[in-house]
């Protein structure tokens, strides 16, 4: 009996902290939407206690005002919403003002997101109204057609494999069997994706500061007032790189600015990949894609958009100048007890592991400095200094390390000899 009592008390002690960890949920109005980040569309929501919505110019964004349950989770220091438990989208007309002057009145409309190359490959766009409905209907018909063609092709392939087995069995028994022609290959799926149309407010404004609020029947809707800041996206494009060491090819080293030098060993080979990117102040970009994250004012962030179209770079070590072409490379693990990697050019029908510029560094003692450039003018230029770190001279390093001690020892000996001479 006493053991049962102990177990009950223990269960109660465990249950009390668990209940205390349960966050308090409250009804609130948040802003949810699919916003443009300068290259692709990202889903986000703005908690009710954050008064400013940050967007980027250059493309429209879709937002909604949603009444839901909101709660704060102290472990992550983030506000979360329970859209599954409650999601009531508010209607009405959205009035957008600038300096007290009405600049736009927006009514909700259905929109769909079109991903021509798949959801993870960028280049998406928003379609609105009838265009969204028509694109989604076409997409569904294409998907149904693909499913039918794939099913038919699968049946033909199954029949072909069954006939191959029958033909092989007949030939093993000495019978004459016809030649079976292979069927057409299975149809390739289309990466194109179109989302189902849903209602939202279309925001397509130039850079600047705005205020917005929902109105229904001419009256403002409570808790829907927000400040709106639209960021100018022009003159932010730049070219950045990643340095891939041969012995550590899975951990590339970012190289975002001209002041970042590339340190290499003599006689080694490193691999350089270039990317088109946009340069932002953290306080501009982070509030757009992750409103609750902390951003440092004045610290730059470089957002990689896609691999660069540059196909050759120029390298210079002393008077030796070379043009290095973009290469498709395969990475292999070295055999034997040593753990390492070997990078080589791809062979026929192989899929590359990395696509990069393979830059070979001169041997020991030839050059201490080098340079690599993309040869593109303006902000889209990649220029980096290469520092060749020569091998350490152990004897010289030991001598320099002992130099302070030898100086002190010499001083002590000289002082002691001077003391004896006086005596």
């Amino acid at each position: 009996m006493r053991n049962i009592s102990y177990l009950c008390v223990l269960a109660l002690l465990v249950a009390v902290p668990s209940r205390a960890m349960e966050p308090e949920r409250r009804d609130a109005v948040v802003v949810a939407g699919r916003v443009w980040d300068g290259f692709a569309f990202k889903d986000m929501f703005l908690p009710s206690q954050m008064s400013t919505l940050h967007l980027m110019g250059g493309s429209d964004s879709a937002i909604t005002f949603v009444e839901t349950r909101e709660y704060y989770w102290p472990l992550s220091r983030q506000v979360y919403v329970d859209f599954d438990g409650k999601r009531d989208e508010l209607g009405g007309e959205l009035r957008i003002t600038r300096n007290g002057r009405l600049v736009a009145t927006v009514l909700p409309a259905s929109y769909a997101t079109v991903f021509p190359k798949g959801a993870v490959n960028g280049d998406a766009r928003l379609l609105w109204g009838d265009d969204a409905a028509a694109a989604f209907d076409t997409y569904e018909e294409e998907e149904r057609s693909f499913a039918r063609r794939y099913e038919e092709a699968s049946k033909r392939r199954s029949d072909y494999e069954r006939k191959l087995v029958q033909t092989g069995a007949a030939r093993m028994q000495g019978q004459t069997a016809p030649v079976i022609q292979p069927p057409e290959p299975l149809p390739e799926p289309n990466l194109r994706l179109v989302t189902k149309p849903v209602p939202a407010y279309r925001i397509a404004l130039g850079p600047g500061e705005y205020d917005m609020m929902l109105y229904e029947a001419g009256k403002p809707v409570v808790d829907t007032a927000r400040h709106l800041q639209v960021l100018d996206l022009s003159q932010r494009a730049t070219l950045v790189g990643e340095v891939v060491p041969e012995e550590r090819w899975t951990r590339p080293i970012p190289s975002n600015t001209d002041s970042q030098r590339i340190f290499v060993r003599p006689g080694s080979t490193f691999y350089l990949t270039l990317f088109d990117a946009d340069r932002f102040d953290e306080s501009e970009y982070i509030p757009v894609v992750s409103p609750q994250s902390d951003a440092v004012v004045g610290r730059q962030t470089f957002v990689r958009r896609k691999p660069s179209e540059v196909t050759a770079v120029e390298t210079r070590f002393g008077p030796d100048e070379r043009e290095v072409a973009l290469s498709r490379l395969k990475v292999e693990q070295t055999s034997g007890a040593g753990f390492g990697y070997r990078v080589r050019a791809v062979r026929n029908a192989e899929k590359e592991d990395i696509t990069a510029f393979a830059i070979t560094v001169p041997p020991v003692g030839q050059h201490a400095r080098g340079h690599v450039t993309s040869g593109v003018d303006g902000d889209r230029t990649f220029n980096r200094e290469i520092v060749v770190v020569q091998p350490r001279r152990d004897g010289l390093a030991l001598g320099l390390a002992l130099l302070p001690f030898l100086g002190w020892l010499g001083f002590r000996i000289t002082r002691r000899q001077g003391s004896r001479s006086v005596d």
Side-chain angles (χ1 to χ4, degrees):
M1 186 68 181
R2 181 176 298 177
N3 292 336
I4 296 177
S5 300
Y6 288 156
L7 290 175
C8 292
V9 172
L10 181 61
L12 180 62
L13 292 175
V14 172
V16 169
S18 301
R19 292 188 60 185
M21 288 290 293
E22 183 68 21
E24 181 181 355
R25 300 170 186 261
R26 65 185 189 89
D27 289 342
V29 176
V30 302
V31 178
R34 183 160 291 174
V35 301
W36 173 251
D37 78 336
F39 178 72
F41 289 93
K42 295 184 178 294
D43 293 328
M44 55 76 64
F45 84 93
L46 187 72
S48 62
Q49 296 182 352
M50 300 186 70
S51 59
T52 302
L53 175 65
H54 297 262
L55 298 177
M56 286 192 185
S59 182
D60 50 355
S61 295
I63 67 170
T64 56
F65 292 83
V66 182
E67 186 174 355
T68 185
R69 292 188 179 91
E70 186 181 67
Y71 60 94
Y72 176 76
W73 189 250
L75 296 179
S76 61
R77 296 186 297 177
Q78 296 276 318
V79 174
Y80 296 92
V81 289
D82 183 13
F83 282 150
D84 294 332
K86 181 179 181 181
R87 185 186 179 111
D88 297 332
E89 296 189 3
L90 304 180
E93 65 176 18
L94 179 63
R95 297 181 185 179
I96 303 175
T97 61
R98 187 173 189 178
N99 298 325
R101 183 174 59 88
L102 184 66
V103 296
T105 299
V106 184
L107 295 175
S110 296
Y111 83 97
T113 310
V114 180
F115 300 94
K117 301 178 182 178
V120 298
N121 295 322
D123 296 332
R125 67 182 189 276
L126 302 183
L127 295 180
W128 296 85
D130 294 339
D131 293 337
F136 183 70
D137 291 342
T138 302
Y139 168 74
E140 282 196 317
E141 181 57 36
E142 291 174 351
E143 289 297 296
R144 287 192 291 265
S145 174
F146 170 78
R148 289 193 298 268
R149 290 184 288 110
Y150 191 88
E151 184 178 2
E152 293 170 357
S154 298
K155 289 181 179 179
R156 289 194 294 269
R157 180 162 293 274
S158 298
D159 293 341
Y160 167 72
E161 293 173 352
R162 178 176 52 80
K163 291 179 180 178
L164 279 182
V165 174
Q166 295 174 351
T167 301
R171 289 178 178 174
M172 291 180 65
Q173 295 176 3
Q175 301 176 6
T176 302
V179 177
I180 308 299
Q181 297 297 328
E184 296 180 356
L186 296 175
E188 292 290 335
N190 190 355
L191 293 179
R192 182 172 179 266
L193 172 65
V194 181
T195 63
K196 185 177 181 180
V198 293
Y201 294 94
R202 183 180 187 180
I203 306 297
L205 299 169
E209 305 278 342
Y210 303 87
D211 292 290
M212 62 180 183
M213 190 173 187
L214 277 183
Y215 284 79
E216 191 169 13
K219 296 181 180 180
V221 180
V222 179
D223 296 333
T224 60
R226 297 291 188 278
H227 185 66
L228 177 61
Q229 183 175 349
V230 181
L231 182 65
D232 187 5
L233 198 59
S234 61
Q235 297 182 348
R236 297 183 181 274
T238 186
L239 195 63
V240 300
E242 289 183 351
V243 179
V244 184
E246 184 172 14
E247 67 278 5
R248 203 176 57 169
W249 73 277
T250 57
R251 298 175 61 187
I253 303 171
S255 181
N256 296 328
T257 62
D258 291 345
S259 61
Q260 292 180 308
R261 296 178 293 178
I262 301 173
F263 293 87
V264 294
R265 292 181 291 105
S268 64
T269 300
F270 69 93
Y271 303 91
L272 177 66
T273 57
L274 299 181
F275 296 88
D276 291 336
D278 287 325
R279 180 180 60 251
F280 298 95
D281 189 291
E282 257 194 20
S283 61
E284 297 174 330
Y285 180 75
I286 298 298
V288 175
V289 298
S290 184
Q292 299 186 69
S293 299
D294 295 329
V296 178
V297 178
R299 184 166 67 186
Q300 287 190 330
T301 182
F302 295 83
V303 184
R304 285 158 172 75
R305 301 305 192 184
K306 60 181 179 179
S308 171
E309 297 180 358
V310 174
T311 58
V313 296
E314 298 175 1
T315 62
R316 185 179 71 252
F317 292 94
D320 184 16
E321 296 185 4
R322 296 183 181 181
E323 183 178 87
V324 180
L326 190 65
S327 303
R328 297 170 57 237
L329 304 169
K330 187 72 175 177
V331 182
E332 295 179 335
Q333 186 172 340
T334 56
S335 58
F339 182 78
Y341 296 96
R342 182 174 69 91
V343 182
R344 60 168 176 81
V346 297
R347 301 190 181 102
N348 294 335
E350 281 186 330
K351 181 174 177 56
E352 70 275 7
D353 292 317
I354 56 174
T355 302
F357 303 98
I359 300 176
T360 302
V361 183
V364 175
Q366 287 195 5
H367 302 289
R369 292 286 190 275
H371 193 78
V372 57
T373 179
S374 63
V376 181
D377 297 331
D379 293 335
R380 302 292 298 280
T381 305
F382 183 88
N383 288 310
R384 298 294 186 273
E385 181 184 7
I386 302 174
V387 179
V388 183
V389 182
Q390 301 297 329
R392 184 176 58 185
R393 298 180 180 178
D394 294 337
L396 179 60
L398 179 62
L400 293 175
L402 294 177
L403 187 60
F405 172 74
L406 294 176
W408 174 82
L409 184 61
F411 171 75
R412 295 288 296 177
I413 293 174
T414 304
R415 186 176 179 182
R416 177 171 294 183
Q417 288 178 350
S419 299
R420 291 178 178 177
S421 299
V422 173
D423 294 341

